[in-house]
Amino acid sequence: MPRSESETPPLWRNRDYNLWWGGSAVSQLGSGVSQLAYPLLILGVADSASAAGIVAACANIGYLGASIPAGVAADRVSRRVLLIVSSVVQLVLMAAVGLAVAGGHVWVPQIAVTALVQGVMSALHQAATTPALRRIVAPAQLKVAFAREQARDMGTQLAGSPLGGLLFGLARWIPFVFDAVSYLFVTLAALFIRSPLGPDRAEEKTAEPTSVRQDVGEGLRFLRRDSFLRFLLLWAALSNCTLAGLAFMFVVALRHHGASASVIGTSESIVMACGLLGALAAGRIVRRVSGFQIVVTMSWLMVAGTLGVAALVARPWPAALCFGSLVFFMTPLNVTFEARMAATVPDRIAGRVMMTTSMAAQSLKWLAPLVCGALADRFSPTAPILGLAAVFALLAVAIHLTPALRRFDDAPHTGDDTGLAAPDAAPEPATPETAGRDAEPAR
């Protein structure tokens, strides 16, 4: 019988959660280091924003293409095994990149293929993460756990960007070896967690086995029930695509104006610092501001912030503050979204629903680096940034014209016309929810 909230020990006494949180923190730090090093490496070797965009797009395409199969796997195969295998493969990949860079044999197609495989492994890892976390944390503590993971990821990215710039300045191969070692920690964390991570399919042993297609359809039917959720997925796809373009062009534009690797890393750390502040303030914000107001405010701040980046890109610190303001207001939205979904989706279909949602939200994200890189090469880095501001403006207008968003703050409907079980726990009322891993705004 589930314990009441008053009987549940605080998270700081939860051994499995702290083990997972710590291992993931080290891994996220490594990812923050290599994410900055990747575009700097390609820009240094190929001197082409388009080439850097291709590598970034490959990682996104790999993640996107593997999302639904990964979700099915997370509901069929041991989640612990998925977490370990995906981490070990990425460890090997990053070590190989580090060796290639150290040996002076950097080949852009090789880096692109590596990024593609990494995207696939990231999808497998993410598919198992949220359902596994629900096994470690009590339902009443999900929002607290997600907010802490959001703060963790922002904090590691905050430290990862300047560290990545520093390590890249010392030697180009160091950031990639650093990232490879970091995957060892999250692998050990997954290995030593005591709680069973699922999935539990004992109740289905007497039922007729289902095909992968049937499993995917079951998850899609769950999502299809909510008209607002359907609109939100479309809006998130366009928003994430545009935001990915802005993040990519932020690095390219700073480099174009002569910023060093350490300056770029520090600028990105300013953006992440704003995100960390947003994560720390998320609890108060979502309790005091309605979800609809957060969505509207964030949408128009994206327009203002993007125009600010375009105008101030020759001055790294003010440009970083403009970009950071967007991330600050996005973080409370992410926290609310993810906790709501985790609380309402049954465990047996959690992998499929979470990854289908993630795939829809990121379905266009791979396109941004390609288009922005080509426009930057053809015109200037400022041109694609202004184009991104126009897209954000159209999205902001759409928010006001869409009646479904007026129901943003309504309690989620948990009835099931598809025959699915009711959610394991009802979400706490109020506020928008994080559809980005508890830890991260769209990447």
Side-chain angles (χ1 to χ4, degrees):
M1 179 178 180
R3 289 178 293 186
S4 66
E5 184 172 358
S6 61
E7 298 174 327
T8 302
L11 281 180
W12 65 267
R13 293 177 55 190
N14 186 327
R15 172 194 175 275
D16 285 347
Y17 176 75
N18 289 327
L19 182 63
W20 175 251
W21 192 96
S24 297
V26 177
S27 177
Q28 288 295 324
L29 178 62
S31 296
V33 167
S34 64
Q35 283 171 6
L36 178 71
Y38 258 133
L40 293 178
L41 174 66
I42 301 303
L43 288 172
V45 172
D47 192 27
S48 170
S50 294
I54 289 172
V55 172
C58 284
N60 290 327
I61 291 171
Y63 183 93
L64 179 64
S67 291
I68 291 183
V72 173
D75 292 334
R76 288 185 168 211
V77 182
S78 167
R79 291 164 185 161
R80 190 188 308 273
V81 170
L82 292 179
L83 291 171
I84 293 173
V85 170
S86 60
S87 297
V88 170
V89 171
Q90 292 189 80
L91 186 160
V92 173
L93 289 173
M94 294 311 297
V97 172
L99 290 174
V101 175
H105 303 295
V106 180
W107 189 37
V108 174
Q110 173 197 3
I111 302 298
V113 171
T114 298
L116 181 69
V117 177
Q118 267 200 293
V120 174
M121 292 300 105
S122 295
L124 285 173
H125 195 276
Q126 183 62 28
T129 295
T130 301
L133 184 64
R134 299 194 332 168
R135 298 299 193 96
I136 299 172
V137 178
Q141 295 176 323
L142 280 174
K143 280 193 174 182
V144 176
F146 284 138
R148 290 185 182 181
E149 293 218 336
Q150 187 86 75
R152 175 203 67 197
D153 287 355
M154 288 296 181
T156 54
Q157 290 183 58
L158 171 61
S161 294
L163 181 59
L166 175 63
L167 295 179
F168 190 86
L170 294 175
R172 291 182 174 183
W173 59 269
I174 296 179
F176 303 101
V177 173
F178 183 94
D179 192 18
V181 174
S182 74
Y183 281 111
L184 177 62
F185 288 83
V186 72
T187 301
L188 293 175
L191 184 63
F192 289 110
I193 288 176
R194 294 172 182 168
S195 303
L197 303 181
D200 294 333
R201 300 181 69 90
E203 71 278 5
E204 299 179 21
K205 286 184 177 179
T206 57
E208 182 180 349
T210 57
S211 66
V212 172
R213 181 177 180 179
Q214 289 173 319
D215 281 354
V216 171
E218 186 179 16
L220 293 175
R221 286 193 297 274
F222 186 90
L223 288 169
R224 194 172 56 197
R225 295 183 306 164
D226 192 323
S227 60
F228 167 72
L229 182 58
R230 293 195 302 270
F231 169 82
L232 181 60
L233 295 183
L234 176 62
W235 177 82
L238 296 173
S239 177
N240 284 343
C241 174
T242 311
L243 184 62
L246 180 59
F248 176 73
M249 288 309 306
F250 184 68
V251 174
V252 173
L254 289 182
R255 193 66 160 176
H256 175 78
H257 287 281
S260 66
S262 60
V263 169
I264 294 174
T266 304
S267 298
E268 289 210 328
S269 73
I270 292 175
V271 177
M272 291 302 103
C274 293
L276 177 59
L277 291 175
L280 295 175
R284 292 185 178 182
I285 291 176
V286 298
R287 285 194 298 267
R288 299 182 181 185
V289 182
S290 72
F292 179 73
Q293 288 177 321
I294 290 177
V295 172
V296 171
T297 301
M298 181 184 73
S299 299
W300 286 110
L301 279 174
M302 283 183 171
V303 179
T306 307
L307 290 173
V309 172
L312 301 171
V313 73
R315 303 169 61 188
W317 316 137
L321 289 174
C322 289
F323 195 2
S325 67
L326 309 185
V327 181
F328 178 93
F329 285 96
M330 182 181 304
T331 305
L333 176 61
N334 283 346
V335 170
T336 311
F337 241 157
E338 186 166 339
R340 178 178 177 182
M341 291 194 65
T344 57
V345 178
D347 180 77
R348 69 186 184 86
I349 63 168
R352 282 165 280 172
V353 172
M354 297 296 182
M355 292 311 293
T356 300
T357 301
S358 178
M359 187 196 74
Q362 301 189 46
S363 58
L364 300 177
K365 188 177 175 182
W366 61 273
L367 187 62
L370 290 175
V371 174
C372 289
L375 290 175
D377 284 343
R378 178 66 178 82
F379 300 103
S380 72
T382 303
I385 296 178
L386 292 175
L388 295 171
V391 176
F392 278 136
L394 291 175
L395 289 173
V397 171
I399 293 296
H400 293 280
L401 299 179
T402 305
L405 288 179
R406 298 294 178 181
R407 301 194 298 272
F408 192 95
D409 298 297
D410 293 349
H413 172 62
T414 59
D416 192 345
D417 56 59
T418 67
L420 295 176
D424 298 327
E428 299 176 22
T431 80
E433 193 63 77
T434 87
R437 44 186 308 197
D438 153 56
E440 45 193 286
R443 286 171 67 179

